[in-house]
Amino acid sequence: MTKQLRNIALWLDRRLHLSQIWEATAGHGIPKSSASWFYVFGSATMLCLGVQIVTGICLALIYQPSAQEAYASLHYLNYEQPLGWFLRGMHYWGSNFMVAIMLMHMTQVFVFGAYKYPRELTWVSGVILCLLTLGMAFTGQVMRWDQDAYWGLGIGVSMLGRVPFIGPELTHFLMGGPIIAGNSLSRFFTLHVFIIPGIVLALLSMHLRLVLSKGINEAPTAGKPVRRDSYEEEYEEMVHRGGARFAPDAIGKDLIFGGIVLGLIVACVLLFGPKGPEGIPDPTLINTNPRPDWPFLWFFAVASLMPPYMESVVLLLGPVVAIGIVIALPFFDNTGEKKWTLRPVSTVSLILVVVSLAAFTWYGATSPWSPEMDAWSSEPTPSHMIDGRTPLELQGALVFQYKQCRNCHALDGIGGQRGPALDLVADRMTPDQLVRQVVQGSGNMPAYGQNISPAEVKAVVAFLHTLHTEGRLPAQTALNLHEDPEGSPAGGDE
Amino acid sequence: MTELKRWIFPVLALALSSFLLAGCDKIPGKPEPEEAYQRPTEVTDFNVLYTTYCAGCHSLDASKPAAARQLNEALYLAFAGREAILQITEDGVPGTTMPAGLIDKGGKLTEEQVGIIVDGIVERTPPLSQEVTDLPPYRAELGRIEEGREAFSRYCAGCHGEDGSGGPKAGSIVDPAYLELVTNQSLRTTVVAGRTDLGMPDFRNMVPGEVMSDEEVEDVVAWLASHREEPDNPAQGNEERND
């Protein structure tokens, strides 16, 4: 019996070359130094891709890529379909982990100098895979078709629109019309489930093929620089004498790490659940504070911090230049040392890039992008700023609410954070300066000018003038309290 | 390989227990229908509506006054009545900082939501502690200015100062900028219902033992209104709304 089975197996193997394929792929030789924990990120990224494909196919069974039904179908998944929320969560967290681990993979490859001769194309294909993965994350957040998605698309549109000559046509092509509408969702759906994944799978096969044919990079040793004429021989030597095999020698670590990643994804889903949807996109609903998903936060932070005159140039050329440099990296840094300690420029650049990306991401996640749209009608003026105020000052507090100053300025820590908190503004500003600030604005504060009446200016300044440290006199103009050199509309009339 | 054996069990156990957990109901990550996003026009909860659209200016708690009047006072409700409160909530008070509520009028609320807010305010108003028989009507014409001055020194000067420009217990109410920002109706409301949240008594308690008559209320408001100057900026008015 066993003998017969064995014969069948051998027959099959001879016809299908299964063990040869296995030998040539999973069983490929690797340098002993590569069977280490630093080499698990690539396979874990691929594992996440697997999770995304499986959960994505399941989601596609229910999800309706139309503007009318997208929201309802996500609602159905969240609340009605048993474990539908879990599926959405796996897909959401799977994508987060995929992006994060992919970035770790890239960092490891960079630190170990693995992009150098002869693996230039492995690096280039990897960079393009990275961009495509980010593309998947971006188009994926659009699938939620909620306000965040709408907002992210809006920024995308305004970027595309800046492209010289063909901007409007490009926008039209991607969005399926001059504005973001139902057509845009079907386009992004097609990108998300057909076009980008297709290219990802094709490029990934190339990437893996290259890993097999050019071999996995050895962990670098200082003082052993890459030389074009001798590297391949040395590598051959490393693999064949004293080398190891991916399976079974190294694969254990990949499996363990893969298991941990899966466990973490599941744990995140159970703890934090799927994201959104945050409500139907509707440009008339402005009382929201949308943010893009985290891989893009840094980009939006950069865009929001940039002075307007730089925006077009930086937003358009920045990505092109940055991607160009990363892709060209193996060509201008082709040989030489691989050990990071002996590549100071690379190491310092990496640290700079990582630190600034982290800082911008943090800024993007915590900074008040947009004013708090409801504060003016929802957050009362703190009672201690009402106590003992005159009727005019009370009107000033109302003007402060009504003119939506509160949407940008917090009192008692509550309210928008676009502008500085004004709890103690009278300590630092005289009434004249306050008048000027309100009428003329400055920086990111709009000039109220014609949109505020002289009486309103007078009232709001009277109110702000009461906000000072207790027991301390508010700031005054040195010469004459009531003189108003600018002749501004709230000029003293008593 | 031994390493693998050490790890594989805990990892599998974690994954498995997670899957089992996924079947039960109390999972932090599982979204609850109540937390689902609601369109602003679908919200029907009084507390949410009030705290979103009114609480910024009107308090419902005398111990935490806000800049505009507290709305759930017994005397105020008896004086204004549900109809007037409803109409003002729907239309706002043009030329003041009181915004229109209804979407058609430039606000954010549906008719149903305005109804919920007004009913909620009425529900949260305590009953009058004693019956008030001599309550003036909510709306009335302006009275006589000269008599108003007398009524003022009788009832108000003790707090607001002899000429109304501020006294020991309260600030100026004849400042033209102040008067430009309030309507005569709100002056009338203040005189009748007071601002008890700020320590300003109602029309029966200005001076102990004396109740202001209908005429005196009309006259005082006329006298206050006579301090208004022509607005410097005639464009300021109904169309001056900024939302």
Side-chain angles (χ1 to χ4, degrees), chain A residues 84-139:
Chain A
W85 66 273
F86 188 78
L87 190 62
R88 285 198 62 223
M90 285 297 285
H91 202 64
Y92 173 64
W93 284 102
S95 97
N96 284 342
F97 274 83
M98 181 162 170
V99 173
I101 297 173
M102 176 191 70
L103 293 178
M104 293 182 207
H105 178 51
M106 260 184 105
T107 312
Q108 181 269 331
V109 165
F110 182 82
V111 172
F112 280 45
Y115 54 83
K116 296 196 177 195
Y117 179 87
R119 301 189 180 85
E120 300 91 341
L121 289 184
T122 322
W123 171 262
V124 171
S125 58
V127 172
I128 300 176
L129 279 171
C130 164
L131 295 174
L132 291 170
T133 307
L134 290 176
M136 286 302 283
F138 188 83
T139 52

Short mmCIF file of all heavy atoms in Angstrom, two decimals, chain A residues 84-139:
data_model
loop_
_atom_site.label_atom_id
_atom_site.label_comp_id
_atom_site.label_asym_id
_atom_site.label_seq_id
_atom_site.Cartn_x
_atom_site.Cartn_y
_atom_site.Cartn_z
N GLY A 84 -19.41 40.46 9.57
CA GLY A 84 -19.07 41.38 8.48
C GLY A 84 -18.10 42.44 8.96
O GLY A 84 -17.14 42.80 8.28
N TRP A 85 -18.33 42.92 10.18
CA TRP A 85 -17.43 43.93 10.75
C TRP A 85 -16.02 43.36 10.87
O TRP A 85 -15.04 44.08 10.67
CB TRP A 85 -17.93 44.38 12.12
CG TRP A 85 -17.90 43.30 13.17
CD1 TRP A 85 -18.86 42.37 13.41
CD2 TRP A 85 -16.83 43.03 14.08
NE1 TRP A 85 -18.47 41.54 14.43
CE2 TRP A 85 -17.22 41.91 14.86
CE3 TRP A 85 -15.58 43.61 14.31
CZ2 TRP A 85 -16.42 41.37 15.85
CZ3 TRP A 85 -14.79 43.07 15.31
CH2 TRP A 85 -15.20 41.96 16.07
N PHE A 86 -15.93 42.05 11.20
CA PHE A 86 -14.62 41.43 11.37
C PHE A 86 -13.88 41.40 10.03
O PHE A 86 -12.70 41.70 9.94
CB PHE A 86 -14.81 40.01 11.91
CG PHE A 86 -13.53 39.35 12.31
CD1 PHE A 86 -12.93 39.68 13.51
CD2 PHE A 86 -12.91 38.45 11.47
CE1 PHE A 86 -11.73 39.09 13.87
CE2 PHE A 86 -11.71 37.86 11.83
CZ PHE A 86 -11.13 38.18 13.03
N LEU A 87 -14.64 41.09 8.99
CA LEU A 87 -14.06 41.07 7.66
C LEU A 87 -13.54 42.45 7.29
O LEU A 87 -12.41 42.61 6.83
CB LEU A 87 -15.16 40.63 6.69
CG LEU A 87 -14.74 40.29 5.27
CD1 LEU A 87 -13.78 39.14 5.29
CD2 LEU A 87 -15.97 39.95 4.45
N ARG A 88 -14.37 43.46 7.51
CA ARG A 88 -13.93 44.83 7.21
C ARG A 88 -12.70 45.18 8.03
O ARG A 88 -11.77 45.81 7.56
CB ARG A 88 -15.04 45.84 7.51
CG ARG A 88 -16.16 45.86 6.49
CD ARG A 88 -16.96 47.15 6.62
NE ARG A 88 -16.11 48.29 6.33
CZ ARG A 88 -16.10 49.42 7.02
NH1 ARG A 88 -16.92 49.56 8.04
NH2 ARG A 88 -15.30 50.40 6.70
N GLY A 89 -12.74 44.76 9.30
CA GLY A 89 -11.61 45.06 10.18
C GLY A 89 -10.33 44.40 9.69
O GLY A 89 -9.26 45.02 9.68
N MET A 90 -10.44 43.13 9.28
CA MET A 90 -9.25 42.42 8.79
C MET A 90 -8.68 43.15 7.57
O MET A 90 -7.47 43.29 7.42
CB MET A 90 -9.59 40.97 8.41
CG MET A 90 -9.80 40.05 9.57
SD MET A 90 -8.33 39.84 10.59
CE MET A 90 -7.31 38.75 9.59
N HIS A 91 -9.56 43.59 6.69
CA HIS A 91 -9.09 44.25 5.48
C HIS A 91 -8.44 45.59 5.83
O HIS A 91 -7.40 45.94 5.28
CB HIS A 91 -10.25 44.45 4.51
CG HIS A 91 -9.82 44.63 3.08
ND1 HIS A 91 -9.19 43.66 2.36
CD2 HIS A 91 -9.93 45.70 2.23
CE1 HIS A 91 -8.92 44.10 1.14
NE2 HIS A 91 -9.36 45.35 1.03
N TYR A 92 -9.04 46.32 6.77
CA TYR A 92 -8.49 47.62 7.16
C TYR A 92 -7.16 47.45 7.87
O TYR A 92 -6.15 48.07 7.51
CB TYR A 92 -9.50 48.35 8.05
CG TYR A 92 -8.94 49.62 8.65
CD1 TYR A 92 -8.58 50.67 7.82
CD2 TYR A 92 -8.77 49.75 10.02
CE1 TYR A 92 -8.05 51.83 8.35
CE2 TYR A 92 -8.24 50.92 10.55
CZ TYR A 92 -7.88 51.95 9.72
OH TYR A 92 -7.36 53.09 10.24
N TRP A 93 -7.15 46.57 8.89
CA TRP A 93 -5.89 46.41 9.64
C TRP A 93 -4.86 45.68 8.81
O TRP A 93 -3.65 45.95 8.94
CB TRP A 93 -6.16 45.71 10.97
CG TRP A 93 -6.79 46.68 11.92
CD1 TRP A 93 -8.11 46.75 12.26
CD2 TRP A 93 -6.14 47.75 12.59
NE1 TRP A 93 -8.31 47.81 13.10
CE2 TRP A 93 -7.12 48.44 13.33
CE3 TRP A 93 -4.81 48.20 12.64
CZ2 TRP A 93 -6.82 49.55 14.11
CZ3 TRP A 93 -4.52 49.31 13.42
CH2 TRP A 93 -5.51 49.97 14.15
N GLY A 94 -5.32 44.77 7.95
CA GLY A 94 -4.37 44.10 7.05
C GLY A 94 -3.64 45.14 6.22
O GLY A 94 -2.42 45.06 6.02
N SER A 95 -4.36 46.14 5.75
CA SER A 95 -3.70 47.14 4.91
C SER A 95 -2.75 47.97 5.75
O SER A 95 -1.64 48.28 5.32
CB SER A 95 -4.75 48.01 4.21
OG SER A 95 -4.96 49.21 4.90
N ASN A 96 -3.15 48.32 6.98
CA ASN A 96 -2.23 49.07 7.84
C ASN A 96 -0.94 48.30 8.06
O ASN A 96 0.16 48.84 7.94
CB ASN A 96 -2.88 49.35 9.20
CG ASN A 96 -3.91 50.45 9.11
OD1 ASN A 96 -3.90 51.22 8.15
ND2 ASN A 96 -4.78 50.53 10.08
N PHE A 97 -1.09 47.01 8.41
CA PHE A 97 0.12 46.22 8.67
C PHE A 97 0.93 46.05 7.40
O PHE A 97 2.16 46.06 7.43
CB PHE A 97 -0.27 44.85 9.26
CG PHE A 97 -0.42 44.90 10.74
CD1 PHE A 97 -1.60 45.33 11.31
CD2 PHE A 97 0.63 44.56 11.58
CE1 PHE A 97 -1.75 45.40 12.70
CE2 PHE A 97 0.50 44.63 12.96
CZ PHE A 97 -0.70 45.05 13.51
N MET A 98 0.24 45.90 6.27
CA MET A 98 0.98 45.70 5.03
C MET A 98 1.86 46.92 4.76
O MET A 98 3.05 46.78 4.45
CB MET A 98 0.02 45.49 3.88
CG MET A 98 0.75 45.25 2.58
SD MET A 98 -0.31 44.49 1.37
CE MET A 98 0.73 44.63 -0.07
N VAL A 99 1.29 48.10 4.88
CA VAL A 99 2.08 49.30 4.61
C VAL A 99 3.22 49.40 5.62
O VAL A 99 4.38 49.63 5.26
CB VAL A 99 1.20 50.55 4.68
CG1 VAL A 99 2.04 51.81 4.59
CG2 VAL A 99 0.16 50.54 3.57
N ALA A 100 2.92 49.17 6.90
CA ALA A 100 3.94 49.33 7.93
C ALA A 100 5.08 48.33 7.72
O ALA A 100 6.26 48.70 7.75
CB ALA A 100 3.33 49.14 9.31
N ILE A 101 4.73 47.08 7.48
CA ILE A 101 5.78 46.06 7.36
C ILE A 101 6.55 46.25 6.06
O ILE A 101 7.77 46.06 6.00
CB ILE A 101 5.16 44.65 7.46
CG1 ILE A 101 4.54 44.50 8.84
CG2 ILE A 101 6.21 43.59 7.24
CD1 ILE A 101 3.76 43.24 9.01
N MET A 102 5.84 46.69 5.02
CA MET A 102 6.54 46.97 3.77
C MET A 102 7.60 48.05 3.99
O MET A 102 8.72 47.96 3.47
CB MET A 102 5.52 47.42 2.73
CG MET A 102 6.12 47.84 1.42
SD MET A 102 4.87 48.64 0.41
CE MET A 102 4.65 50.17 1.30
N LEU A 103 7.23 49.07 4.79
CA LEU A 103 8.21 50.13 5.04
C LEU A 103 9.40 49.58 5.84
O LEU A 103 10.55 49.95 5.60
CB LEU A 103 7.55 51.30 5.77
CG LEU A 103 6.52 52.04 4.92
CD1 LEU A 103 5.87 53.16 5.73
CD2 LEU A 103 7.15 52.59 3.65
N MET A 104 9.12 48.67 6.78
CA MET A 104 10.23 48.05 7.52
C MET A 104 11.11 47.26 6.57
O MET A 104 12.35 47.30 6.66
CB MET A 104 9.70 47.11 8.60
CG MET A 104 8.95 47.80 9.71
SD MET A 104 8.45 46.55 10.91
CE MET A 104 7.03 47.32 11.59
N HIS A 105 10.49 46.53 5.67
CA HIS A 105 11.23 45.74 4.68
C HIS A 105 12.16 46.64 3.88
O HIS A 105 13.34 46.37 3.73
CB HIS A 105 10.22 45.03 3.78
CG HIS A 105 10.82 44.22 2.68
ND1 HIS A 105 11.81 43.29 2.89
CD2 HIS A 105 10.58 44.20 1.34
CE1 HIS A 105 12.15 42.73 1.74
NE2 HIS A 105 11.42 43.28 0.76
N MET A 106 11.60 47.74 3.41
CA MET A 106 12.42 48.68 2.62
C MET A 106 13.57 49.23 3.45
O MET A 106 14.69 49.36 2.96
CB MET A 106 11.56 49.84 2.16
CG MET A 106 11.09 49.72 0.74
SD MET A 106 10.18 51.20 0.28
CE MET A 106 11.39 52.03 -0.75
N THR A 107 13.28 49.55 4.69
CA THR A 107 14.33 50.10 5.55
C THR A 107 15.43 49.07 5.74
O THR A 107 16.62 49.40 5.64
CB THR A 107 13.74 50.47 6.92
OG1 THR A 107 12.55 51.21 6.70
CG2 THR A 107 14.71 51.28 7.73
N GLN A 108 15.03 47.83 5.98
CA GLN A 108 16.04 46.78 6.19
C GLN A 108 16.89 46.63 4.93
O GLN A 108 18.13 46.56 5.01
CB GLN A 108 15.32 45.47 6.54
CG GLN A 108 16.23 44.30 6.81
CD GLN A 108 16.52 43.48 5.56
OE1 GLN A 108 15.71 43.43 4.65
NE2 GLN A 108 17.70 42.89 5.53
N VAL A 109 16.25 46.60 3.78
CA VAL A 109 16.98 46.44 2.53
C VAL A 109 17.97 47.60 2.35
O VAL A 109 19.11 47.42 1.94
CB VAL A 109 15.99 46.39 1.35
CG1 VAL A 109 16.71 46.61 0.02
CG2 VAL A 109 15.26 45.07 1.34
N PHE A 110 17.50 48.80 2.74
CA PHE A 110 18.37 49.96 2.59
C PHE A 110 19.54 49.88 3.55
O PHE A 110 20.70 50.06 3.17
CB PHE A 110 17.55 51.23 2.85
CG PHE A 110 18.34 52.49 2.69
CD1 PHE A 110 18.55 53.04 1.43
CD2 PHE A 110 18.90 53.12 3.79
CE1 PHE A 110 19.29 54.19 1.27
CE2 PHE A 110 19.65 54.28 3.64
CZ PHE A 110 19.85 54.82 2.38
N VAL A 111 19.26 49.54 4.81
CA VAL A 111 20.32 49.50 5.82
C VAL A 111 21.36 48.43 5.47
O VAL A 111 22.55 48.63 5.68
CB VAL A 111 19.71 49.24 7.22
CG1 VAL A 111 20.80 48.99 8.24
CG2 VAL A 111 18.87 50.43 7.63
N PHE A 112 20.89 47.31 4.92
CA PHE A 112 21.82 46.23 4.60
C PHE A 112 22.47 46.41 3.23
O PHE A 112 23.19 45.53 2.75
CB PHE A 112 21.10 44.86 4.65
CG PHE A 112 20.93 44.34 6.05
CD1 PHE A 112 20.49 45.16 7.07
CD2 PHE A 112 21.22 43.01 6.35
CE1 PHE A 112 20.34 44.68 8.37
CE2 PHE A 112 21.08 42.52 7.64
CZ PHE A 112 20.64 43.34 8.65
N GLY A 113 22.22 47.52 2.58
CA GLY A 113 22.83 47.78 1.28
C GLY A 113 22.45 46.76 0.22
O GLY A 113 23.19 46.53 -0.74
N ALA A 114 21.26 46.17 0.37
CA ALA A 114 20.89 45.07 -0.52
C ALA A 114 20.56 45.54 -1.93
O ALA A 114 20.44 44.74 -2.84
CB ALA A 114 19.71 44.31 0.06
N TYR A 115 20.42 46.86 -2.10
CA TYR A 115 20.04 47.35 -3.43
C TYR A 115 21.24 47.41 -4.37
O TYR A 115 21.09 47.65 -5.56
CB TYR A 115 19.40 48.74 -3.31
CG TYR A 115 20.28 49.73 -2.57
CD1 TYR A 115 21.28 50.41 -3.27
CD2 TYR A 115 20.12 49.96 -1.22
CE1 TYR A 115 22.11 51.29 -2.59
CE2 TYR A 115 20.94 50.84 -0.55
CZ TYR A 115 21.93 51.51 -1.24
OH TYR A 115 22.75 52.38 -0.60
N LYS A 116 22.45 47.20 -3.83
CA LYS A 116 23.65 47.38 -4.66
C LYS A 116 23.80 46.25 -5.68
O LYS A 116 23.07 45.27 -5.66
CB LYS A 116 24.87 47.45 -3.74
CG LYS A 116 24.80 48.67 -2.84
CD LYS A 116 26.10 48.99 -2.21
CE LYS A 116 25.92 50.26 -1.39
NZ LYS A 116 27.16 50.87 -1.00
N TYR A 117 24.76 46.43 -6.54
CA TYR A 117 25.08 45.43 -7.55
C TYR A 117 24.98 44.04 -6.98
O TYR A 117 25.53 43.79 -5.90
CB TYR A 117 26.52 45.69 -8.06
CG TYR A 117 26.97 44.71 -9.10
CD1 TYR A 117 26.70 44.92 -10.45
CD2 TYR A 117 27.66 43.55 -8.72
CE1 TYR A 117 27.10 44.00 -11.39
CE2 TYR A 117 28.05 42.63 -9.65
CZ TYR A 117 27.77 42.85 -10.99
OH TYR A 117 28.16 41.94 -11.93
N PRO A 118 24.34 43.08 -7.60
CA PRO A 118 23.63 43.10 -8.88
C PRO A 118 22.13 43.12 -8.69
O PRO A 118 21.42 42.54 -9.50
CB PRO A 118 24.07 41.78 -9.48
CG PRO A 118 24.14 40.87 -8.27
CD PRO A 118 24.46 41.70 -7.08
N ARG A 119 21.64 43.74 -7.63
CA ARG A 119 20.21 43.61 -7.34
C ARG A 119 19.47 44.91 -7.62
O ARG A 119 18.46 45.20 -6.97
CB ARG A 119 20.00 43.18 -5.89
CG ARG A 119 20.69 41.87 -5.59
CD ARG A 119 20.36 41.29 -4.25
NE ARG A 119 21.07 40.04 -4.08
CZ ARG A 119 22.33 39.96 -3.64
NH1 ARG A 119 22.97 41.05 -3.29
NH2 ARG A 119 22.92 38.78 -3.56
N GLU A 120 19.96 45.71 -8.57
CA GLU A 120 19.34 47.01 -8.84
C GLU A 120 17.86 46.85 -9.18
O GLU A 120 17.01 47.59 -8.67
CB GLU A 120 20.04 47.71 -10.00
CG GLU A 120 21.51 48.00 -9.78
CD GLU A 120 22.39 46.88 -10.29
OE1 GLU A 120 21.88 45.75 -10.48
OE2 GLU A 120 23.60 47.11 -10.48
N LEU A 121 17.56 45.88 -10.03
CA LEU A 121 16.17 45.79 -10.47
C LEU A 121 15.26 45.22 -9.38
O LEU A 121 14.06 45.49 -9.37
CB LEU A 121 16.07 44.97 -11.75
CG LEU A 121 16.64 45.70 -12.98
CD1 LEU A 121 16.45 44.87 -14.23
CD2 LEU A 121 16.00 47.07 -13.14
N THR A 122 15.83 44.42 -8.49
CA THR A 122 15.01 43.96 -7.37
C THR A 122 14.55 45.18 -6.57
O THR A 122 13.39 45.30 -6.17
CB THR A 122 15.85 43.05 -6.43
OG1 THR A 122 16.70 42.25 -7.23
CG2 THR A 122 14.96 42.21 -5.58
N TRP A 123 15.47 46.12 -6.36
CA TRP A 123 15.14 47.36 -5.65
C TRP A 123 14.11 48.18 -6.42
O TRP A 123 13.09 48.59 -5.87
CB TRP A 123 16.42 48.16 -5.41
CG TRP A 123 16.19 49.54 -4.89
CD1 TRP A 123 16.18 50.69 -5.62
CD2 TRP A 123 15.96 49.94 -3.53
NE1 TRP A 123 15.97 51.78 -4.82
CE2 TRP A 123 15.82 51.33 -3.52
CE3 TRP A 123 15.85 49.23 -2.33
CZ2 TRP A 123 15.58 52.06 -2.35
CZ3 TRP A 123 15.59 49.96 -1.17
CH2 TRP A 123 15.46 51.36 -1.19
N VAL A 124 14.36 48.37 -7.72
CA VAL A 124 13.44 49.19 -8.50
C VAL A 124 12.04 48.59 -8.48
O VAL A 124 11.05 49.29 -8.24
CB VAL A 124 13.96 49.35 -9.95
CG1 VAL A 124 12.91 50.03 -10.81
CG2 VAL A 124 15.25 50.15 -9.95
N SER A 125 11.96 47.27 -8.68
CA SER A 125 10.61 46.67 -8.67
C SER A 125 10.00 46.83 -7.28
O SER A 125 8.79 47.05 -7.14
CB SER A 125 10.66 45.21 -9.08
OG SER A 125 11.50 44.48 -8.23
N GLY A 126 10.83 46.74 -6.25
CA GLY A 126 10.32 46.92 -4.90
C GLY A 126 9.78 48.32 -4.68
O GLY A 126 8.73 48.49 -4.07
N VAL A 127 10.50 49.32 -5.17
CA VAL A 127 10.03 50.70 -5.00
C VAL A 127 8.69 50.88 -5.68
O VAL A 127 7.75 51.47 -5.13
CB VAL A 127 11.06 51.69 -5.56
CG1 VAL A 127 10.49 53.10 -5.55
CG2 VAL A 127 12.35 51.64 -4.77
N ILE A 128 8.57 50.33 -6.89
CA ILE A 128 7.29 50.47 -7.58
C ILE A 128 6.19 49.72 -6.83
O ILE A 128 5.06 50.20 -6.69
CB ILE A 128 7.41 49.99 -9.04
CG1 ILE A 128 8.49 50.84 -9.73
CG2 ILE A 128 6.09 50.14 -9.77
CD1 ILE A 128 8.79 50.42 -11.14
N LEU A 129 6.53 48.55 -6.28
CA LEU A 129 5.54 47.83 -5.47
C LEU A 129 5.11 48.67 -4.27
O LEU A 129 3.94 48.69 -3.90
CB LEU A 129 6.12 46.50 -4.98
CG LEU A 129 6.07 45.36 -5.99
CD1 LEU A 129 6.87 44.17 -5.49
CD2 LEU A 129 4.62 44.95 -6.24
N CYS A 130 6.08 49.36 -3.69
CA CYS A 130 5.76 50.21 -2.54
C CYS A 130 4.77 51.29 -2.96
O CYS A 130 3.76 51.53 -2.28
CB CYS A 130 7.04 50.82 -2.00
SG CYS A 130 6.78 52.21 -0.90
N LEU A 131 5.04 51.94 -4.09
CA LEU A 131 4.12 52.99 -4.56
C LEU A 131 2.74 52.41 -4.85
O LEU A 131 1.71 53.00 -4.51
CB LEU A 131 4.68 53.65 -5.82
CG LEU A 131 5.98 54.43 -5.59
CD1 LEU A 131 6.53 54.93 -6.92
CD2 LEU A 131 5.74 55.58 -4.63
N LEU A 132 2.74 51.22 -5.46
CA LEU A 132 1.45 50.61 -5.77
C LEU A 132 0.69 50.26 -4.49
O LEU A 132 -0.53 50.39 -4.42
CB LEU A 132 1.65 49.36 -6.62
CG LEU A 132 2.14 49.63 -8.04
CD1 LEU A 132 2.53 48.33 -8.73
CD2 LEU A 132 1.05 50.34 -8.86
N THR A 133 1.43 49.81 -3.48
CA THR A 133 0.76 49.48 -2.21
C THR A 133 0.15 50.73 -1.60
O THR A 133 -0.99 50.71 -1.11
CB THR A 133 1.76 48.85 -1.24
OG1 THR A 133 2.39 47.75 -1.90
CG2 THR A 133 1.07 48.37 0.00
N LEU A 134 0.91 51.82 -1.66
CA LEU A 134 0.33 53.08 -1.17
C LEU A 134 -0.90 53.45 -2.01
O LEU A 134 -1.90 53.94 -1.50
CB LEU A 134 1.36 54.20 -1.20
CG LEU A 134 2.49 54.06 -0.16
CD1 LEU A 134 3.52 55.15 -0.33
CD2 LEU A 134 1.90 54.09 1.24
N GLY A 135 -0.80 53.18 -3.30
CA GLY A 135 -1.94 53.43 -4.18
C GLY A 135 -3.14 52.59 -3.75
O GLY A 135 -4.28 53.07 -3.76
N MET A 136 -2.88 51.34 -3.35
CA MET A 136 -3.97 50.50 -2.87
C MET A 136 -4.57 51.09 -1.59
O MET A 136 -5.78 51.12 -1.41
CB MET A 136 -3.46 49.08 -2.57
CG MET A 136 -3.18 48.26 -3.79
SD MET A 136 -4.61 48.08 -4.85
CE MET A 136 -5.54 46.85 -3.96
N ALA A 137 -3.69 51.56 -0.70
CA ALA A 137 -4.20 52.14 0.55
C ALA A 137 -5.04 53.37 0.26
O ALA A 137 -6.10 53.58 0.85
CB ALA A 137 -3.04 52.49 1.48
N PHE A 138 -4.59 54.18 -0.68
CA PHE A 138 -5.33 55.41 -0.99
C PHE A 138 -6.67 55.09 -1.65
O PHE A 138 -7.73 55.57 -1.22
CB PHE A 138 -4.51 56.33 -1.89
CG PHE A 138 -5.15 57.67 -2.07
CD1 PHE A 138 -4.98 58.66 -1.13
CD2 PHE A 138 -5.95 57.93 -3.18
CE1 PHE A 138 -5.59 59.90 -1.28
CE2 PHE A 138 -6.57 59.16 -3.34
CZ PHE A 138 -6.38 60.14 -2.39
N THR A 139 -6.62 54.24 -2.69
CA THR A 139 -7.89 53.92 -3.35
C THR A 139 -8.79 53.15 -2.39
O THR A 139 -10.01 53.26 -2.45
CB THR A 139 -7.66 53.09 -4.63
OG1 THR A 139 -6.84 51.96 -4.30
CG2 THR A 139 -6.98 53.91 -5.70
#
